[in-house]
Amino acid sequence: MNTTSCVVVVGYNGNRVHDIQKLRELCKSLYNARLILLVEKIQPHDDQVADHVCSTSLAEKDVAASLELVVGCLNADNWKLIGVLPFSDRGVLLGAALASHFGLPGITPDEARAGLDKQIFRRLEATASRSPEDYRPVISVRVESLAELRQRVVELGGKAFIKPACEGASRGCRVIHHPSECDDAWLALKPYREGGIVLEELVQNAREYSWDCVAGSTWVTEKTTTEGAYRAEIQQVVPAPLPSEVQARLMAAGRHMAGLVSRDNGAWHNEVFLRRDNLTSAVETNMRPGGMHIWDLAKRAFVNFDPWERWVRWAVEGKTEQHEPVARGYCGIRLLRAPAGGILRATPDIKALARALRIDLVEGQYAKRIGDSVSALVKDNFSFVGHIVLFNEHYGQLSHDLLRLAESIESRIEVTCLAPATRAVC
């Protein structure tokens, strides 16, 4: 009986369903292979962007059972697996197990755990025999109870940063400004406690970047996060505009973080602090493509560079190439906030606003629909109502236009506030 080649994509984060379509087209054009999507819960549109969709647990405790299930399904339908693409944080574990089982390019299950679990990464960081000269580990501890949280925050000087050990997309990330905030923070983290809670020193007055890597090709992305109790990423620019010595420090930090976990992984999104004294520190490591369309920004910002194609070729052929792509300009994305909490009532035409401001728009989309519930308090990357993407040869003009267009859109978004007895338009 004939077999059909396939590539398996394991999970995807948030609203990245349309990226699956890109991978599907590449698998077909490069290898005449079908794309099979493994998810924990099948969502609308999954079956439209993948050739086949399979539902299975991605939890660490279920990896062995899920591996057996997937192998059985592949064998029963005569699929020939030629590549594995772990596309979500939770998908890294099963992706590693599949790659190991079939002898395909990828990482070991142990390396996958170190990349997913922030506690394991911090242990590797603390015990490393060497690190870049300008690199400083972040103080990090696991907390098991509210009482321990209060004690540790006091030990850290009354301020700290708390987050789940095994989550992504800024879920559960929170700043504690004073020990009195521990009760609220601990309550808010209840959904994540089973996976572990990590408390770290609060790194202040630092800039954030990411070291992004696909099959050996690396660049640095500039990151902007929201202020306040929660920290969510609101803007990314590729490539980051940096003096050569700062670029070298961030590159060294990103490579060091990857080296602590695995030499063989095909995709990295390692988040790095650049401290006020120009020292670098790891925020966290992620063993999958960066979110917020970073790879799409890179495809537009660099000359003859397609991260998606490089990732697929890595998964099938193990193909890597050490190089830094050449920039032809800067490409940036900015997420859009709701002006108030309530029900989304009206949104302006993004294209029309961009034309009126004489800004060349690459992309503008809403993630929320009229009638959806929205919040002015951004808790994570899923709290935004949409995004805009711009390109410019000049970084200063790009930054100016991103902010100008975002403010113009946000000021015209209408929300119906939900008050106890009445409704009013905010």
Side-chain angles (χ1 to χ4, degrees), residues 152-221:
R152 294 290 193 178
V153 169
V154 170
E155 289 172 1
L156 289 170
K159 296 181 179 182
F161 190 78
I162 194 167
K163 60 184 176 183
C166 301
E167 291 290 334
S170 300
R171 284 185 291 269
C173 294
R174 185 161 178 160
V175 175
I176 296 175
H177 296 96
H178 187 272
S180 62
E181 298 175 13
C182 289
D183 293 57
D184 285 346
W186 189 248
L187 182 63
L189 284 161
K190 187 176 181 180
Y192 309 108
R193 285 185 214 156
E194 186 179 342
I197 302 299
V198 172
L199 187 74
E200 298 182 342
E201 65 177 285
L202 181 61
V203 179
Q204 296 177 285
N205 301 312
R207 299 294 307 274
E208 281 194 48
Y209 297 88
S210 63
W211 176 81
D212 292 286
C213 177
V214 54
S217 298
T218 56
W219 70 92
V220 176
T221 302

Coordinates of all heavy atoms in Angstrom, one line a residue, residues 152-221:
R152 N 9.5 35.8 50.4 CA 10.5 36.0 49.3 C 10.5 37.4 48.8 O 11.5 38.0 48.4 CB 10.2 35.0 48.2 CG 10.4 33.5 48.6 CD 11.9 33.2 48.8 NE 12.2 31.8 48.8 CZ 13.4 31.3 49.0 NH1 14.4 32.0 49.1 NH2 13.5 29.9 49.0
V153 N 9.3 38.0 48.7 CA 9.2 39.3 48.2 C 9.9 40.3 49.1 O 10.6 41.2 48.7 CB 7.7 39.7 48.0 CG1 7.6 41.2 47.7 CG2 7.1 39.0 46.8
V154 N 9.7 40.1 50.4 CA 10.4 40.9 51.4 C 11.9 40.8 51.2 O 12.7 41.8 51.2 CB 10.0 40.6 52.8 CG1 10.9 41.2 53.9 CG2 8.5 41.0 53.1
E155 N 12.4 39.5 51.0 CA 13.8 39.3 50.8 C 14.4 40.0 49.6 O 15.5 40.3 49.5 CB 14.1 37.8 50.7 CG 13.9 37.0 52.0 CD 13.9 35.5 51.9 OE1 14.1 35.0 50.7 OE2 13.8 34.8 52.9
L156 N 13.5 40.1 48.6 CA 13.9 40.8 47.3 C 13.7 42.3 47.4 O 13.8 43.0 46.4 CB 13.1 40.2 46.1 CG 13.5 38.8 45.7 CD1 12.5 38.2 44.7 CD2 14.9 38.7 45.1
G157 N 13.5 42.8 48.6 CA 13.4 44.3 48.8 C 12.0 44.8 48.6 O 11.8 46.1 48.5
G158 N 11.0 44.0 48.6 CA 9.6 44.5 48.5 C 9.0 44.5 47.1 O 7.9 44.8 46.9
K159 N 9.9 44.3 46.1 CA 9.4 44.3 44.7 C 9.9 43.0 44.0 O 11.0 42.5 44.3 CB 10.0 45.5 44.0 CG 9.5 46.8 44.5 CD 10.1 48.0 43.7 CE 9.6 49.3 44.2 NZ 10.1 50.4 43.4
A160 N 9.1 42.5 43.1 CA 9.5 41.3 42.4 C 8.6 41.1 41.2 O 7.7 41.9 40.9 CB 9.3 40.1 43.3
F161 N 8.9 40.1 40.4 CA 8.2 39.7 39.2 C 7.8 38.3 39.3 O 8.6 37.4 39.6 CB 9.0 39.9 37.9 CG 8.3 39.8 36.7 CD1 7.5 40.8 36.2 CD2 8.3 38.7 35.9 CE1 6.8 40.8 35.0 CE2 7.6 38.5 34.7 CZ 6.8 39.6 34.3
I162 N 6.5 38.0 39.2 CA 6.0 36.6 39.4 C 5.3 36.1 38.1 O 4.7 36.9 37.3 CB 5.0 36.6 40.5 CG1 4.7 35.2 41.0 CG2 3.7 37.3 40.2 CD1 4.0 35.0 42.3
K163 N 5.5 34.8 37.8 CA 5.0 34.3 36.5 C 4.9 32.8 36.6 O 5.6 32.1 37.5 CB 5.9 34.7 35.3 CG 7.3 34.2 35.4 CD 8.1 34.7 34.2 CE 9.6 34.3 34.3 NZ 10.4 34.9 33.2
P164 N 4.0 32.2 35.8 CA 3.9 30.7 35.8 C 5.2 30.1 35.2 O 5.9 30.8 34.4 CB 2.7 30.5 34.8 CG 2.0 31.7 34.7 CD 3.0 32.8 34.9
A165 N 5.5 28.9 35.6 CA 6.8 28.3 35.2 C 6.7 27.8 33.8 O 7.7 27.7 33.1 CB 7.2 27.1 36.1
C166 N 5.5 27.4 33.3 CA 5.4 26.7 32.0 C 4.3 27.3 31.1 O 3.5 26.6 30.5 CB 5.1 25.3 32.3 SG 6.3 24.4 33.2
E167 N 4.3 28.7 31.0 CA 3.3 29.3 30.1 C 4.0 30.3 29.2 O 5.2 30.7 29.5 CB 2.2 30.1 31.0 CG 1.3 29.2 31.7 CD 0.3 28.4 30.8 OE1 0.0 28.9 29.7 OE2 -0.1 27.3 31.2
G168 N 3.3 30.7 28.2 CA 3.9 31.7 27.3 C 2.9 32.8 27.0 O 1.8 32.9 27.7
A169 N 3.1 33.7 26.1 CA 2.2 34.8 25.7 C 1.9 35.8 26.8 O 0.8 36.4 26.8 CB 0.9 34.3 25.1
S170 N 2.8 35.9 27.8 CA 2.7 36.8 28.9 C 1.6 36.4 29.9 O 1.2 37.2 30.7 CB 2.5 38.3 28.4 OG 3.5 38.7 27.7
R171 N 1.0 35.2 29.7 CA -0.1 34.7 30.6 C 0.4 34.7 32.0 O 1.4 34.0 32.3 CB -0.6 33.4 30.2 CG -1.5 33.4 29.0 CD -2.1 32.0 28.7 NE -1.0 31.1 28.2 CZ -0.7 30.9 27.0 NH1 -1.3 31.5 26.0 NH2 0.2 30.0 26.6
G172 N -0.3 35.3 32.9 CA 0.0 35.3 34.4 C 1.2 36.1 34.8 O 1.4 36.2 36.0
C173 N 1.9 36.8 33.9 CA 3.0 37.6 34.3 C 2.6 38.8 35.0 O 1.7 39.5 34.6 CB 3.8 38.0 33.1 SG 4.6 36.6 32.3
R174 N 3.2 39.1 36.2 CA 2.7 40.3 37.0 C 3.9 40.9 37.8 O 4.7 40.1 38.3 CB 1.6 39.7 37.9 CG 1.0 40.8 38.8 CD -0.4 40.3 39.3 NE -1.0 41.3 40.1 CZ -2.3 41.3 40.4 NH1 -3.1 40.3 39.9 NH2 -2.9 42.2 41.2
V175 N 3.8 42.2 38.0 CA 4.8 42.9 38.8 C 4.2 43.1 40.2 O 3.0 43.4 40.3 CB 5.1 44.3 38.2 CG1 6.0 45.1 39.1 CG2 5.8 44.1 36.8
I176 N 5.0 42.8 41.2 CA 4.6 43.1 42.6 C 5.4 44.3 43.0 O 6.6 44.2 43.1 CB 4.9 41.8 43.5 CG1 4.0 40.7 43.1 CG2 4.6 42.2 45.0 CD1 4.2 39.4 43.8
H177 N 4.7 45.4 43.3 CA 5.4 46.6 43.7 C 5.6 46.7 45.2 O 6.4 47.5 45.7 CB 4.6 47.8 43.2 CG 4.5 47.9 41.7 ND1 3.5 47.5 41.0 CD2 5.4 48.4 40.8 CE1 3.6 47.7 39.7 NE2 4.8 48.3 39.6
H178 N 4.8 45.9 46.0 CA 4.9 46.0 47.4 C 4.4 44.7 48.0 O 3.5 44.1 47.4 CB 4.0 47.2 47.9 CG 4.1 47.5 49.4 ND1 3.3 46.9 50.3 CD2 4.9 48.4 50.0 CE1 3.6 47.3 51.5 NE2 4.6 48.2 51.4
P179 N 4.9 44.3 49.1 CA 4.4 43.0 49.7 C 2.9 42.9 49.9 O 2.3 41.8 49.9 CB 5.1 43.0 51.1 CG 6.4 43.7 50.9 CD 6.0 44.8 49.9
S180 N 2.2 44.1 50.1 CA 0.8 44.1 50.2 C 0.0 43.5 49.0 O -1.2 43.2 49.1 CB 0.3 45.5 50.6 OG 0.6 46.3 49.5
E181 N 0.7 43.5 47.9 CA 0.1 43.0 46.6 C 0.2 41.5 46.5 O -0.3 40.9 45.5 CB 0.7 43.7 45.4 CG 0.6 45.2 45.4 CD 1.3 45.9 44.3 OE1 1.8 45.1 43.4 OE2 1.5 47.1 44.3
C182 N 0.8 40.8 47.4 CA 1.1 39.3 47.3 C -0.2 38.6 47.2 O -0.4 37.6 46.5 CB 1.9 38.8 48.4 SG 3.7 39.4 48.3
D183 N -1.2 38.9 48.1 CA -2.5 38.2 48.2 C -3.2 38.2 46.8 O -3.6 37.1 46.3 CB -3.4 38.8 49.2 CG -2.8 38.6 50.6 OD1 -1.7 39.1 50.9 OD2 -3.5 38.0 51.5
D184 N -3.3 39.4 46.2 CA -4.0 39.5 44.9 C -3.2 38.7 43.8 O -3.8 38.0 43.0 CB -4.1 40.9 44.4 CG -5.2 41.6 45.2 OD1 -6.0 41.0 45.9 OD2 -5.3 42.9 45.2
A185 N -1.9 38.8 43.8 CA -1.1 38.1 42.8 C -1.2 36.6 43.0 O -1.3 35.9 42.0 CB 0.4 38.5 43.0
W186 N -1.2 36.1 44.2 CA -1.3 34.7 44.4 C -2.6 34.1 43.9 O -2.7 33.1 43.3 CB -1.0 34.3 45.9 CG -0.9 32.9 46.1 CD1 -1.8 32.1 46.9 CD2 0.1 32.0 45.7 NE1 -1.3 30.8 46.9 CE2 -0.2 30.7 46.2 CE3 1.3 32.2 45.0 CZ2 0.7 29.6 46.0 CZ3 2.1 31.1 44.7 CH2 1.8 29.8 45.2
L187 N -3.7 34.9 44.2 CA -5.0 34.5 43.8 C -5.1 34.5 42.3 O -5.7 33.5 41.7 CB -6.1 35.5 44.4 CG -7.5 35.2 44.1 CD1 -7.9 33.8 44.7 CD2 -8.5 36.3 44.6
A188 N -4.6 35.5 41.6 CA -4.6 35.6 40.2 C -3.9 34.4 39.5 O -4.2 34.0 38.4 CB -4.1 36.9 39.7
L189 N -2.9 33.9 40.2 CA -2.1 32.8 39.6 C -2.6 31.4 39.9 O -2.0 30.4 39.6 CB -0.7 32.9 40.1 CG 0.2 34.0 39.4 CD1 1.4 34.3 40.3 CD2 0.6 33.6 38.0
K190 N -3.8 31.3 40.5 CA -4.4 30.0 40.8 C -4.5 29.0 39.7 O -4.2 27.8 39.8 CB -5.8 30.2 41.5 CG -6.4 28.9 42.0 CD -7.7 29.2 42.7 CE -8.3 27.9 43.3 NZ -9.6 28.1 43.9
P191 N -4.9 29.5 38.4 CA -5.0 28.5 37.3 C -3.6 27.9 36.9 O -3.6 26.9 36.2 CB -5.5 29.4 36.2 CG -6.1 30.6 36.8 CD -5.3 30.8 38.1
Y192 N -2.5 28.5 37.3 CA -1.2 28.1 36.9 C -0.4 27.4 38.0 O 0.7 26.9 37.7 CB -0.4 29.3 36.4 CG -1.1 30.1 35.4 CD1 -1.6 31.4 35.7 CD2 -1.4 29.7 34.1 CE1 -2.3 32.2 34.8 CE2 -2.1 30.5 33.2 CZ -2.5 31.7 33.5 OH -3.2 32.5 32.6
R193 N -0.9 27.3 39.2 CA -0.1 26.8 40.3 C 0.4 25.4 40.1 O 1.5 25.0 40.5 CB -0.8 27.0 41.6 CG -0.9 28.4 42.1 CD -1.6 28.5 43.5 NE -2.4 29.7 43.6 CZ -3.4 29.8 44.4 NH1 -3.8 28.8 45.2 NH2 -4.0 31.0 44.5
E194 N -0.5 24.5 39.5 CA -0.1 23.1 39.3 C 1.2 23.0 38.5 O 2.0 22.1 38.8 CB -1.2 22.4 38.6 CG -1.0 20.9 38.5 CD -2.1 20.1 37.8 OE1 -3.2 20.7 37.7 OE2 -1.9 19.0 37.4
G195 N 1.4 23.9 37.5 CA 2.6 23.8 36.7 C 3.8 24.5 37.4 O 4.9 24.5 36.8
G196 N 3.6 25.1 38.5 CA 4.7 25.8 39.2 C 4.7 27.3 39.0 O 4.3 27.8 38.0
I197 N 5.1 28.0 40.1 CA 5.1 29.5 40.1 C 6.5 29.9 40.4 O 7.2 29.4 41.3 CB 4.2 30.1 41.1 CG1 2.7 29.6 40.9 CG2 4.2 31.6 41.1 CD1 2.1 30.0 39.5
V198 N 7.0 30.8 39.6 CA 8.4 31.3 39.7 C 8.4 32.8 40.1 O 7.6 33.6 39.6 CB 9.2 31.2 38.4 CG1 10.5 31.9 38.4 CG2 9.3 29.7 38.0
L199 N 9.2 33.2 41.1 CA 9.3 34.5 41.5 C 10.8 35.0 41.2 O 11.7 34.3 41.5 CB 9.1 34.7 43.0 CG 9.1 36.1 43.6 CD1 7.8 36.8 43.2 CD2 9.2 36.1 45.1
E200 N 10.9 36.2 40.6 CA 12.2 36.7 40.2 C 12.4 38.1 40.7 O 11.4 38.8 41.0 CB 12.4 36.6 38.7 CG 12.3 35.2 38.2 CD 12.5 35.0 36.7 OE1 12.3 36.1 36.0 OE2 12.7 33.9 36.2
E201 N 13.7 38.5 40.7 CA 14.0 39.9 41.0 C 13.3 40.8 40.0 O 13.2 40.4 38.8 CB 15.5 40.1 41.1 CG 16.1 39.9 39.7 CD 17.6 40.3 39.7 OE1 17.9 41.5 39.7 OE2 18.4 39.3 39.7
L202 N 12.9 41.9 40.3 CA 12.3 42.9 39.4 C 13.4 43.7 38.7 O 14.0 44.5 39.4 CB 11.3 43.8 40.1 CG 10.6 44.8 39.2 CD1 9.7 44.1 38.1 CD2 9.7 45.8 40.0
V203 N 13.6 43.4 37.5 CA 14.6 44.1 36.7 C 14.0 45.4 36.2 O 13.1 45.4 35.4 CB 15.2 43.3 35.5 CG1 16.2 44.1 34.8 CG2 15.8 42.0 36.1
Q204 N 14.5 46.5 36.7 CA 13.9 47.9 36.4 C 14.9 48.7 35.5 O 16.1 48.4 35.5 CB 13.7 48.6 37.7 CG 12.6 47.9 38.6 CD 12.4 48.7 39.9 OE1 13.2 48.6 40.8 NE2 11.2 49.4 40.0
N205 N 14.2 49.6 34.8 CA 15.0 50.5 33.9 C 15.8 49.7 32.9 O 17.0 50.1 32.6 CB 15.9 51.5 34.7 CG 15.1 52.3 35.7 OD1 14.1 52.9 35.3 ND2 15.5 52.3 37.0
A206 N 15.3 48.7 32.4 CA 16.0 47.9 31.4 C 15.2 47.9 30.1 O 13.9 48.0 30.1 CB 16.2 46.4 31.9
R207 N 15.9 47.7 29.0 CA 15.2 47.5 27.7 C 15.1 46.0 27.4 O 15.9 45.2 27.9 CB 16.0 48.2 26.6 CG 16.2 49.7 26.7 CD 14.9 50.5 26.6 NE 14.2 50.1 25.4 CZ 14.4 50.7 24.2 NH1 15.3 51.6 24.0 NH2 13.6 50.4 23.1
E208 N 14.0 45.7 26.7 CA 13.8 44.2 26.4 C 14.0 44.0 24.9 O 13.5 44.8 24.1 CB 12.4 43.8 26.8 CG 12.3 43.5 28.3 CD 11.1 42.7 28.7 OE1 10.8 41.7 28.0 OE2 10.4 43.2 29.6
Y209 N 14.6 42.9 24.6 CA 14.8 42.4 23.2 C 14.6 40.9 23.2 O 14.5 40.3 24.2 CB 16.3 42.7 22.8 CG 16.6 44.2 22.8 CD1 17.1 44.9 23.9 CD2 16.4 45.0 21.6 CE1 17.4 46.2 23.9 CE2 16.7 46.4 21.6 CZ 17.2 47.0 22.8 OH 17.4 48.3 22.8
S210 N 14.5 40.4 22.0 CA 14.6 39.0 21.8 C 15.6 38.6 20.8 O 15.9 39.3 19.8 CB 13.2 38.4 21.4 OG 12.8 38.9 20.1
W211 N 16.3 37.5 21.1 CA 17.2 36.9 20.1 C 16.5 35.8 19.4 O 16.0 34.8 20.0 CB 18.4 36.3 20.9 CG 19.4 35.5 20.1 CD1 20.4 36.1 19.4 CD2 19.5 34.1 19.9 NE1 21.2 35.1 18.8 CE2 20.7 33.9 19.1 CE3 18.8 33.0 20.4 CZ2 21.0 32.6 18.7 CZ3 19.2 31.7 20.0 CH2 20.3 31.5 19.2
D212 N 16.2 36.0 18.1 CA 15.4 35.1 17.4 C 16.3 34.3 16.4 O 17.2 34.9 15.8 CB 14.3 35.9 16.6 CG 13.3 36.5 17.5 OD1 12.4 35.7 18.0 OD2 13.3 37.7 17.8
C213 N 16.0 33.0 16.3 CA 16.8 32.2 15.5 C 16.0 31.1 14.8 O 15.0 30.6 15.4 CB 17.8 31.5 16.5 SG 18.9 30.2 15.7
V214 N 16.3 30.9 13.6 CA 15.6 29.8 12.8 C 16.7 29.1 12.0 O 17.4 29.7 11.1 CB 14.5 30.3 11.9 CG1 14.9 31.5 11.0 CG2 13.9 29.2 11.1
A215 N 17.0 27.9 12.3 CA 17.9 27.0 11.6 C 19.3 27.7 11.4 O 19.9 27.6 10.4 CB 17.4 26.6 10.2
G216 N 19.7 28.4 12.5 CA 21.0 29.0 12.5 C 21.1 30.4 12.1 O 22.1 31.1 12.3
S217 N 20.0 31.0 11.5 CA 19.9 32.4 11.1 C 19.4 33.2 12.3 O 18.3 32.9 12.8 CB 19.0 32.5 9.9 OG 19.5 31.8 8.8
T218 N 20.1 34.2 12.7 CA 19.8 34.9 13.9 C 19.7 36.4 13.7 O 20.3 37.0 12.8 CB 20.9 34.7 15.0 OG1 22.2 35.1 14.4 CG2 21.0 33.3 15.4
W219 N 18.8 37.1 14.5 CA 18.7 38.5 14.5 C 18.2 38.9 15.9 O 17.7 38.1 16.7 CB 17.8 39.0 13.4 CG 16.3 38.7 13.6 CD1 15.3 39.4 14.2 CD2 15.7 37.5 13.1 NE1 14.1 38.8 14.2 CE2 14.3 37.6 13.5 CE3 16.1 36.3 12.5 CZ2 13.4 36.6 13.2 CZ3 15.1 35.3 12.2 CH2 13.8 35.4 12.6
V220 N 18.2 40.2 16.2 CA 17.7 40.8 17.4 C 16.4 41.6 17.1 O 16.5 42.4 16.2 CB 18.7 41.6 18.2 CG1 18.2 42.2 19.4 CG2 19.9 40.7 18.5
T221 N 15.4 41.4 17.9 CA 14.1 42.1 17.7 C 13.9 43.0 18.9 O 14.2 42.7 20.1 CB 12.9 41.1 17.7 OG1 13.1 40.2 16.6 CG2 11.6 41.8 17.6

